[in-house]
Amino acid sequence: MKNVVSRERRMAAATCKKMRTLRSITNSHAYSKTSIILDATKYIDELKHRVERINQDIAMAQNSTCQKSCPVQLRVEAQDKGFLIKVFSERCCGGLLVFLLEAFEELGLDIFQARVSCSEGFLFEAVGVKDDQGSSECLNVQDIKRGVWKAIQNWSNQVKERT
């Protein structure tokens, strides 16, 4: 009987130590096991999202060679009512506008104001605002850049497949 009690105490102490460690790793302020585990789950989800974003950034950097074959410049600026997105190329970019508009849709942005020129090269300037019916997720400049670069890369890949 004495061995059973001491074994249970050792197991309880080990569990308590593991919970303290988990609590400190996840910066949790919870005290109950359930709350600590829920905080750990949220922390793991945050880490997964960070890894996904880092992988996307790495992919964008690796695919920046696309700029050499299709020199498209992108600038995104935060504004009071949304984001100013400018896409420019010295050469004609047939079909790129469709990919950009699809990117706006995927990002949940409505076009508040836009200007497009395809006469000498390609110029797209638009103010995008978060649509009210979209998710509650907040967008930042990096999110917009990622989404628009993805559209530019998809367009570039389609152009390469045709040639």
Side-chain angles (χ1 to χ4, degrees), residues 53-118:
R53 286 186 177 188
I54 289 169
N55 285 337
Q56 288 174 350
D57 289 343
I58 290 169
M60 273 192 342
Q62 289 173 342
N63 289 332
S64 66
T65 56
C66 168
Q67 286 184 303
K68 293 174 184 159
S69 62
C70 62
V72 177
Q73 299 172 12
L74 169 65
R75 197 166 90 212
V76 179
E77 300 172 6
Q79 294 191 326
D80 293 337
K81 296 184 178 183
F83 299 92
L84 174 64
I85 296 100
K86 293 184 178 183
V87 179
F88 172 77
S89 177
E90 291 181 2
R91 66 181 190 131
C92 186
C93 299
L96 179 56
L97 181 60
V98 174
F99 282 84
L100 294 175
L101 295 176
E102 287 173 351
F104 270 62
E105 189 174 321
E106 287 177 18
L107 291 166
L109 291 176
D110 288 332
I111 296 177
F112 179 71
Q113 179 180 350
R115 184 173 71 168
V116 179
S117 173
C118 299

Side-chain angles (χ1 to χ4, degrees), residues 19-72:
M19 284 294 153
R20 277 196 309 266
T21 303
L22 185 59
R23 190 170 165 237
S24 69
I25 290 171
T26 61
N27 296 321
S28 174
H29 299 290
Y31 289 99
S32 73
K33 288 179 187 178
T34 304
S35 296
I36 293 170
I37 292 170
L38 285 173
D39 287 347
T41 303
K42 289 177 187 174
Y43 182 73
I44 290 168
D45 285 340
E46 288 174 20
L47 290 176
K48 285 180 183 177
H49 290 293
R50 284 186 197 170
V51 168
E52 287 173 7
R53 286 186 177 188
I54 289 169
N55 285 337
Q56 288 174 350
D57 289 343
I58 290 169
M60 273 192 342
Q62 289 173 342
N63 289 332
S64 66
T65 56
C66 168
Q67 286 184 303
K68 293 174 184 159
S69 62
C70 62
V72 177

Side-chain angles (χ1 to χ4, degrees), residues 123-139:
L123 174 66
F124 172 79
E125 292 181 344
V127 176
V129 294
K130 184 76 175 144
D131 68 20
D132 294 331
Q133 299 170 357
S135 67
S136 60
E137 179 183 329
C138 291
L139 291 173

